[in-house]
Amino acid sequence: MATAATMPDTRPSGAAIARILALVVPLALLGGALFSQYVGGLHPCEMCIWQRWPHGVAIVMAALAFLFPAGNRNARLLTAVAAIAIAVSGAIGVFHAGVELKYWEGLTRCSTGAAMSLDELMKAPLVRCDQVQFSFLGISMAGWNAILSLGGAGAILFLLGRRA
């Protein structure tokens, strides 16, 4: 009869949990942003778009990490890069939330993010980076991205640093 002392530890390692978080966090945040845009009708400003790119990088890096066993050096490195990309999105979110709260000035130029014809430009919605379109519990989407991205990146890096 096996006892607790003789049974193998089947709990996932910190690296395995970190790798899962590195994929789930940016998928959820980017998915939420795209859902709010295409289903909720909230048009993103330029800084909203900036926050999406690092999540895309994180998703790719985290997905590549699944090509290796969780504790493998390559998997840990790819997971760490994903965490850094998530943190970059969070840092952009901090900047964007500060612009929304008028703590500092944001963009000083007008931009559309893509080359457009005059007709397309005239039909495009005007979305200012310093205006909150939607908030939950008094926190804008940029603020939530900052909180969840930086918290998620911190948790991933903490779990990667754990030995067990």
Side-chain angles (χ1 to χ4, degrees), residues 96-117:
H96 189 184
V99 170
E100 291 172 338
L101 293 167
K102 312 293 190 259
Y103 290 160
W104 45 74
E105 189 175 329
L107 301 174
T108 57
R109 60 183 174 84
C110 181
S111 66
T112 63
M116 303 173 88
S117 70

Side-chain angles (χ1 to χ4, degrees), residues 3 17 41 51-52 67 76 79 84 93 95 104 120 124 127-128 140-141 147 156 161:
T3 65
I17 297 168
Q51 292 170 76
R52 294 177 183 189
L67 296 175
R76 294 173 71 82
T79 302
I84 291 166
F95 178 73
W104 45 74
E120 290 172 321
V127 182
R128 293 176 48 117
S140 70
M141 290 180 70
I147 292 166
I156 293 162

Side-chain angles (χ1 to χ4, degrees), residues 3-158:
T3 65
T6 61
M7 291 180 65
D9 187 2
T10 58
R11 294 177 296 171
S13 68
I17 297 168
R19 183 172 62 171
I20 292 167
L21 279 176
L23 185 60
V24 170
V25 168
L27 273 173
L29 291 171
L30 184 57
L34 293 171
F35 183 85
S36 71
Q37 178 180 350
Y38 293 107
V39 177
L42 296 176
H43 297 284
C45 70
E46 186 171 5
M47 282 193 276
C48 293
I49 300 295
W50 293 352
Q51 292 170 76
R52 294 177 183 189
W53 286 103
H55 284 312
V57 170
I59 291 166
V60 171
M61 294 297 111
L64 289 173
F66 278 90
L67 296 175
F68 305 96
N72 176 282
R73 191 178 103 155
N74 292 329
R76 294 173 71 82
L77 176 64
L78 289 164
T79 302
V81 171
I84 291 166
I86 295 166
V88 167
S89 179
I92 297 168
V94 168
F95 178 73
H96 189 184
V99 170
E100 291 172 338
L101 293 167
K102 312 293 190 259
Y103 290 160
W104 45 74
E105 189 175 329
L107 301 174
T108 57
R109 60 183 174 84
C110 181
S111 66
T112 63
M116 303 173 88
S117 70
L118 182 58
D119 187 49
E120 290 172 321
L121 185 60
M122 296 306 287
K123 291 178 184 175
L126 176 62
V127 182
R128 293 176 48 117
C129 292
D130 63 349
Q131 300 294 313
V132 175
Q133 289 189 65
F134 175 82
S135 67
F136 178 68
L137 300 176
I139 301 172
S140 70
M141 290 180 70
W144 280 113
N145 181 59
I147 292 166
L148 297 173
S149 293
L150 294 172
I156 293 162
L157 293 173
F158 171 78

